[in-house]
Structures are given as C-alpha cells and as structure tokens.
Amino acid sequence: MAAGNGEASAIRVFYALVLAPELRPPIGDIARDTARRVHGRPVPPENLHLTLAFIGDIARSRLPTLLDVGASLHGEAMSLLLDRLGGFRRAGVAWLGASRPPHELGAFAVALARALAAAGVQCDERPFHPHMTIVRRCRVSPDEQQIGPYAWAIDEFALLQSQSGTEGARYRSLSKWPLTVLPPLPGA
Ligand code: 2AM
C-alpha cells in the first residue's frame, strides 16, 4: 500500500494518565509561568499527562493487541499528590512530580510493562520515573522546588496517539479503561 495510506501506516502511541480536567487550569498556569522563567514552550493544558509506557511507532495492524493489553489490566484507583517541580536538563523539559508517589502507580506501570512484553510489544525499557512534562525546549533548567500540592484523583488510564501538527504534538485518546476502587478488606 502507498505510504500515507491510513491502513498501512505506523502510529505513534503510549499509555498514560491524562490529567483530570479540574487540574488543567492551575497546572496550565504553572506551565505558563515556568515556561516564561525557563524560556521554553508550555505544554497545552489539554495535553498534560503522565506516561506509563512509551511504545513509539508501531504498525496500525497491532492496535488490537494494544487494546487487548489495556483491557486485560486490573489497576487500582489512586491519589497522586503533585508537589515537586523540576527539570531534566538534557531533555530540556520541566516537569511536575510527586515526592511520595503511591505504590499503586509503580505497581501498575510494572504490570503494564509485563503485559506488553507478554504480548510481544516492545516499549521503552528505561526505569519508570513518574513525571508530567509541563514545559519543553527549556533554555535553562528550573531548580527543583516544592509546589502545591495538587491532589490528583486517578481513576482511569488511556492509550494515546501522538499526532504531530504545525502547532506541535496533539494527543488523541484511542481508548481508556477504569482503575477501580478496591472494596475494604473484611473486618478492616
Ligand atoms: P517526556 O514528557 O518526558 O518527553 C509522549 O511523547 C510521551 O511519551 C511523553 O510523556 C514522553 O515523555 C514520553 N516518552 C517516553 N519515552 C519517550 C521517547 N523515547 N520518545 C518520546 N517520548 C517518550
């Protein structure tokens, strides 16, 4: 099939937690203020997310496998307290993170990586460092500091497609799945 044909083409995808809509205005403001300080480009509020597993370019024909992996996972709902702002100097990004990420987050990223490996899907194998990029192309790296905190109630995860356009990347949700609240243990 000809290059550019939708059926034959590769898609660029990753699994992520999309920032809750109610946190987009305050975190969007932090992104804009930080971008001004570090002379970078703020991530648009609707693009704010935390990546769980980065797949990158993959044949569109493998999409059913990625959807099956997402549907097969059972993760727990969690609360993430965003309370740190810092930078990855070499990548030229500023990020928000948590000084005490819930153990459910790391456990879920590991479960996802294992499910992808079992399905024969290659993904970025670097250790999971949960962070939300808020500014790209920073000319200076921000000093790490305390912010907020902003409590983010996380009850779903998504498979996102990255589409590059004239104004930068846009992320399209291909599917999303719930993270569930576990019932309390009997007698607890
Ligand atoms: P970043 O925010 O630290 O750049 C979409 O690009 C998402 O996938 C971003 O959250 C990005 O992290 C993450 N990601 C992880 N590994 C990547 C890679 N090798 N190339 C591009 N994005 C990557």
Side-chain angles (χ1 to χ4, degrees), residues 81-85 96-100 145-150:
L81 217 52
L82 296 167
D83 64 354
R84 303 294 294 166
L85 188 158
L96 295 189
S99 52
R100 301 179 70 180
Q145 60 191 262
Q146 202 77 24
I147 54 124
Y150 298 91

Side-chain angles (χ1 to χ4, degrees), residues 12-14 41-49 51 54 57 133 136-137 160-173:
R12 189 173 177 80
V13 290
F14 58 103
R41 288 215 184 158
V43 172
E46 66 277 12
N47 273 4
L48 291 165
H49 68 276
T51 295
F54 181 74
D57 292 336
T133 296
R136 295 193 183 278
R137 300 199 200 171
L160 300 183
Q161 179 180 3
S162 174
Q163 299 175 307
S164 44
T166 46
E167 304 202 350
R170 288 193 53 205
Y171 303 133
R172 172 174 165 234
S173 176

Side-chain angles (χ1 to χ4, degrees), residues 17-27 45 48-49 82 132 151-156:
L17 304 171
V18 175
L19 185 64
E22 63 272 19
L23 286 179
R24 286 181 199 159
I27 303 296
L48 291 165
H49 68 276
L82 296 167
M132 177 184 300
W152 176 12
I154 298 169
D155 61 4
E156 62 182 22

